[in-house]
Amino acid sequence: IIVIDDFSNDNFYPDSMLWKDNLVFVNRTYALNPITLGVATFDGLDQNGRPYNINLSTSDSQDADTLTSHHINMSLVDSAYFMFFYQPEGLGNDPQLSDSLILEFSSVDSAGNIVWERIWSSPGSDVHDFRKVVILFSDARYLVPEFQFRFRNLASVNGNYDHWNIDYVKLDEYTDPSDTSYLNDVSFSQNTPRILKRYR
């Protein structure tokens, strides 16, 4: 496995070993029937829980949260897959049609500059169950020593609006269709109930 994160760490911020920024909210409360315990939630708030622009009177969609991976050496594989699960709204606020959740891969242009290419996106909608997204790729532009990927969202940035939850992000070498057909993992998906009443 090259990268895997189910956001089950008991922290408000993403794992700094995997991610280079901390703008999203890692939590166990915003998702509805998550794949595993813990999700990363995108909204209109910064890493301190404050609106990006509280003085903005319009609800037009603006750049909001970003979740960017560290550099990943992809030069040792011939084919790879990127998989994740996503859910709009959850137990929060529904993103509007003009809002988006976006996935981008990094590449290098002819001048040697890093550019971000949109690989996948979803417009806002009402809540639905987590949906799986699988992207297979063997393009030499991405199978490089310093590959990166990032999620970002467009949202109303004057408050806690337009929520997206992502869960179980996985990047690995692709060898067989079974790699992406099911999750071969045993994990909690809900908080465990209390087993003691009067004692602790």
Side-chain angles (χ1 to χ4, degrees):
I1 295 173
I2 298 174
V3 172
I4 184 170
D5 195 355
D6 64 359
F7 305 103
S8 60
N9 56 306
D10 193 13
N11 195 343
F12 296 135
Y13 297 110
D15 185 347
S16 61
M17 297 293 290
L18 299 174
W19 309 99
K20 64 176 297 185
D21 41 38
N22 61 357
L23 299 175
V24 300
F25 176 41
V26 175
N27 67 92
R28 300 181 178 184
T29 54
Y30 267 99
L32 183 64
N33 299 321
I35 304 301
T36 61
L37 183 62
V39 296
T41 299
F42 294 72
D43 51 31
L45 305 177
D46 65 16
Q47 68 268 33
N48 298 310
R50 300 187 180 97
Y52 283 100
N53 188 348
I54 197 170
N55 297 317
L56 193 67
S57 59
T58 177
S59 60
D60 290 347
S61 299
Q62 308 283 331
D63 289 328
D65 289 339
T66 303
L67 182 63
T68 310
S69 72
H70 289 297
H71 289 105
I72 305 161
N73 184 2
M74 298 293 292
S75 64
L76 303 178
V77 302
D78 297 320
S79 182
Y81 70 92
F82 188 90
M83 180 174 71
F84 67 97
F85 294 79
Y86 78 99
Q87 179 186 68
E89 184 178 355
L91 297 173
N93 177 254
D94 60 311
Q96 307 305 302
L97 279 174
S98 58
D99 302 321
S100 297
L101 179 66
I102 301 166
L103 170 66
E104 297 174 323
F105 286 178
S106 68
S107 65
V108 179
D109 65 16
S110 58
N113 301 310
I114 300 287
V115 294
W116 290 98
E117 299 181 14
R118 182 176 296 200
I119 303 299
W120 171 94
S121 65
S122 176
S125 72
D126 293 333
V127 65
H128 56 64
D129 289 338
F130 274 86
R131 293 178 181 170
K132 180 170 68 172
V133 176
V134 176
I135 297 162
L136 305 179
F137 62 99
S138 56
D139 193 320
R141 293 178 301 162
Y142 307 133
L143 300 179
V144 294
E146 295 193 339
F147 171 76
Q148 285 180 285
F149 64 88
R150 72 181 183 184
F151 292 95
R152 62 187 184 89
N153 72 315
L154 301 178
S156 301
V157 294
N158 56 353
N160 189 18
Y161 305 122
D162 306 327
H163 297 99
W164 297 90
N165 301 307
I166 65 169
D167 198 3
Y168 215 95
V169 176
K170 187 176 181 181
L171 171 67
D172 203 351
E173 181 178 11
Y174 182 74
T175 58
D176 187 87
S178 63
D179 292 340
T180 61
S181 60
Y182 64 94
L183 289 179
N184 185 19
D185 192 4
V186 177
S187 59
F188 287 104
S189 61
Q190 302 290 335
N191 286 312
T192 55
R194 296 183 180 182
I195 60 174
L196 300 176
K197 293 184 177 180
R198 297 172 52 199
Y199 306 100
R200 62 180 179 178

